[in-house]
Amino acid sequence: MSGSPVYSPYHFGGVRLSSGAAICDRRPLAGKSGDPTPMRHAVPEEGHNRPNRSPFIVLILLVWIVPYSFFGLQWRQRENCRVASLEVAASGKTGFTLMTNHNQAIFFTNTLSLARAKVNNNLLNGAGVAAGDFDGDGWCDLYFCNLDGTNALYRNLGHWQFQDVTVSSGTACPGQASTGAVFADVNGDGRLDLLVSSCGGTVACFINLGHGHFTNMTSSSGLLAGFGATSMTLADIDGDGDLDLYVANYAKLSLLRSGGAIAMRSINGRPVVTGPGSERVRIVGDKLVELGEPDVLYLNDGQGHFTPVPWTNGAFLDETGQPLKEAPQELGLSAMFRDINGDGAPDLYVCNDYEAPDRIWINDGKGRFRALPTLALRSTSRFSMSVDFADINRDGYDDFIVADMLSRTHLLRTTQSGVLDPEVREPGQVDDRPQIRRNTLFLNRGNGTFSEIANYAGVAASDWTWCVAFIDVDLDGYEDLLVANGHAFDIQDFDAMERN
């Protein structure tokens, strides 16, 4: 197993992280096409467009303990990446070991008071962490978001030692409920800048000046404020050489879940929601449904100045190729740019919560997106919270997984509301896309359509999952699956719901 290269991307996407983790060791699927021989190279193959994806989401809790000589690696520069060979020991234990904060000098806690959570349940969606070498010294630094305090930037000194440089770097973001972060070079100067999203505040833009210092350019960046942003993803969607930005928005304030009063009156014999919040609440059948806020796509001018793209000007087309008539008001939890159809242009997958459908947008290469054909994907997860891509069967096509909330135990499945209730479907209806209350794993058939195989692959349930990532934990050449899960309360419990 010696001589395996390590892939080091230039910038890393921010992710939300919660407590707990589960690991599923993935082996080649029986009866599937593709060479089952383990592939030892993480660098994209010739002709395959593999966007950068960060494996560093576990660094705040866990350390890879497959023995190898990490320090003193001899890096070789490649286009868009660098490569170094690992000398992997023939024996050793696969997995992770807990690192103590005292030894690493990382002293950070994401805090949220119960009083604030009761007023706004959306804050329970959590906060995020970003990883990237902001000072160019070859070590991956860490930035942590805080919902009820200041954020923290830790400079990696090497050998698992960190230094808190929040104050000197100017990236604390005091007074806002920070939800997500991402390191990315938004002005093309070769240094990693920092974007920080928040619930009800700004999407902060910090430009890296070098020498460990940032300047806050939020006010002149063009980024909108006042939304309940959850996560961000960047890619050059129009091929002009700079990173454009998509911000997934949930809602800055929960209405129904936080027990807010909704006013209604009868108009022409039909109930209609009125008053504050009415723009985000609809009556569907016999129940109230809470809508979210529109996501925002921004075009970058190359200097770190962003311009929002309207939803209805032809930049987004439906399945029939017609421009959208209104902006989708959905509860966005996560988004990822990825070349889904292999044409070299970054497409977009957006994970939406509750009844809102996931959005899969195919890029025409010029920054215009069209919805994936209805029959290309026959189902999605219902409470979609995270997505990741990998070619799991080595046929040259990207497959992907979407994380949901289904418990791994039979006991919890029977005591939690709604998790086993199937969606009602009309007999004979084949052109719908029903939502499934579990993880979904989609195998790319290579013809623009996907087969859902989560149960077959054994990854349908991973509890309340906030983030999922493909990563080769045991260095056998196949992507394993890392899951970050957990919640402060079991809000689906039948007894708890009855008491409320």
Side-chain angles (χ1 to χ4, degrees):
M1 296 177 64
S2 64
S4 301
V6 172
Y7 173 50
S8 175
Y10 285 119
H11 65 269
F12 313 93
V15 296
R16 291 195 323 280
L17 193 63
S18 186
S19 61
I23 299 174
C24 304
D25 187 18
R26 195 204 69 76
R27 299 294 176 183
L29 296 175
K32 300 298 177 183
S33 61
D35 183 3
T37 303
M39 298 180 65
R40 308 302 299 163
H41 297 281
V43 179
E45 296 180 6
E46 188 70 25
H48 288 272
N49 188 332
R50 303 290 190 212
N52 295 340
R53 172 167 47 84
S54 170
F56 296 99
I57 63 168
V58 296
L59 289 183
I60 64 169
L61 298 177
L62 308 164
V63 177
W64 211 344
I65 61 170
V66 177
Y68 61 87
S69 302
F70 180 80
F71 304 110
L73 294 177
Q74 299 300 312
W75 292 99
R76 301 190 304 278
Q77 196 65 40
R78 298 277 186 88
E79 185 180 2
N80 299 325
C81 67
R82 58 178 182 164
V83 178
S85 294
L86 290 179
E87 296 300 326
V88 183
S91 62
K93 182 180 179 182
T94 298
F96 301 88
T97 187
L98 182 66
M99 305 291 283
T100 62
N101 289 354
H102 178 75
N103 291 336
Q104 278 64 59
I106 294 180
F107 302 99
F108 176 85
T109 301
N110 173 30
T111 58
L112 176 64
S113 68
L114 182 59
R116 288 194 66 200
K118 287 181 177 180
V119 172
N120 187 3
N121 280 188
N122 290 352
L123 293 175
L124 291 172
N125 288 341
V129 56
D133 181 12
F134 80 89
D135 55 0
D137 64 355
W139 298 101
C140 187
D141 310 301
L142 299 175
Y143 184 85
F144 298 94
C145 294
N146 201 330
L147 291 167
D148 208 3
T150 57
N151 301 340
L153 175 61
Y154 284 90
R155 178 173 176 252
N156 192 339
L157 305 178
H159 302 275
W160 296 108
Q161 298 299 310
F162 292 84
Q163 177 186 11
D164 188 339
V165 294
T166 309
V167 176
S168 61
S169 66
T171 58
C173 288
Q176 72 174 33
S178 297
T179 55
V182 57
F183 283 112
D185 182 11
V186 299
N187 62 353
D189 64 358
R191 294 187 289 262
L192 290 182
D193 308 304
L194 177 64
L195 300 175
V196 184
S197 61
S198 67
C199 184
T202 64
V203 175
C205 178
F206 295 96
I207 299 299
N208 193 336
L209 303 177
H211 308 291
H213 298 286
F214 292 79
T215 182
N216 191 336
M217 300 297 294
T218 305
S219 60
S220 61
S221 67
L223 299 174
L224 302 177
F227 293 96
T230 52
S231 60
M232 300 167 285
T233 183
L234 296 105
D236 183 11
I237 66 169
D238 50 6
D240 64 353
D242 53 48
L243 291 175
D244 306 300
L245 171 67
Y246 187 90
V247 180
N249 290 323
Y250 199 84
K252 63 182 178 182
L253 181 67
S254 58
L255 301 175
L256 301 178
R257 287 193 299 163
S258 296
I262 301 297
M264 291 189 296
R265 63 175 178 169
S266 179
I267 299 179
N268 296 326
R270 299 178 59 184
V272 176
V273 180
T274 61
S278 60
E279 73 283 356
R280 285 188 42 226
V281 178
R282 297 287 185 271
I283 301 175
V284 179
D286 59 351
K287 65 178 181 178
L288 292 175
V289 175
E290 182 173 344
L291 306 179
E293 298 166 343
D295 297 346
V296 185
L297 173 66
Y298 294 94
L299 291 180
N300 189 350
D301 69 354
Q303 303 299 316
H305 302 110
F306 296 90
T307 301
V309 177
W311 280 95
T312 57
N313 72 341
F316 291 91
L317 310 176
D318 64 17
E319 291 87 350
T320 66
Q322 298 302 309
L324 298 190
K325 296 181 180 180
E326 60 181 359
Q329 286 183 259
E330 294 161 345
L331 299 166
L333 282 172
S334 183
M336 178 177 284
F337 282 116
R338 186 79 175 200
D339 183 11
I340 298 174
N341 61 355
D343 65 355
D347 307 308
L348 177 64
Y349 194 103
V350 182
C351 296
N352 287 318
D353 204 0
Y354 292 102
E355 289 88 353
D358 287 3
R359 300 288 179 173
I360 307 102
W361 299 105
I362 303 301
N363 190 347
D364 67 357
K366 300 179 182 179
R368 188 167 67 169
F369 294 88
R370 180 170 175 168
L372 187 75
T374 303
L375 297 182
L377 206 68
R378 301 305 300 274
S379 61
T380 60
S381 295
R382 182 172 180 83
F383 306 104
S384 300
M385 302 171 75
S386 178
V387 62
D388 200 15
F389 292 79
D391 180 8
I392 63 174
N393 63 342
R394 296 299 186 265
D395 62 355
Y397 300 102
D398 264 355
D399 315 296
F400 65 96
I401 187 170
V402 178
D404 202 287
M405 299 160 44
L406 183 63
S407 173
R408 288 175 288 172
T409 68
H410 176 72
L411 174 62
L412 287 180
R413 294 185 192 184
T414 57
T415 60
Q416 292 176 340
S417 65
V419 294
L420 295 179
D421 298 334
E423 183 175 318
V424 178
R425 303 183 63 185
E426 294 294 331
Q429 187 173 1
V430 297
D431 59 351
D432 60 344
R433 189 178 287 164
Q435 295 177 319
I436 306 172
R437 299 177 180 183
R438 58 168 173 80
N439 298 343
T440 48
L441 176 64
F442 294 96
L443 189 70
N444 193 331
R445 296 189 180 103
N447 62 357
T449 67
F450 297 82
S451 176
E452 202 286 299
I453 60 168
N455 279 316
Y456 174 74
V459 296
S462 54
D463 295 298
W464 200 308
T465 300
W466 294 104
C467 187
V468 62
F470 286 111
I471 175 176
D472 184 5
V473 175
D474 53 5
L475 298 181
D476 65 352
Y478 296 108
E479 293 85 357
D480 308 306
L481 200 56
L482 183 66
V483 174
N485 57 22
H487 198 279
F489 308 98
D490 185 3
I491 61 175
Q492 295 184 106
D493 182 77
F494 277 118
D495 294 334
M497 294 181 66
E498 289 181 1
R499 284 196 296 268
N500 292 331

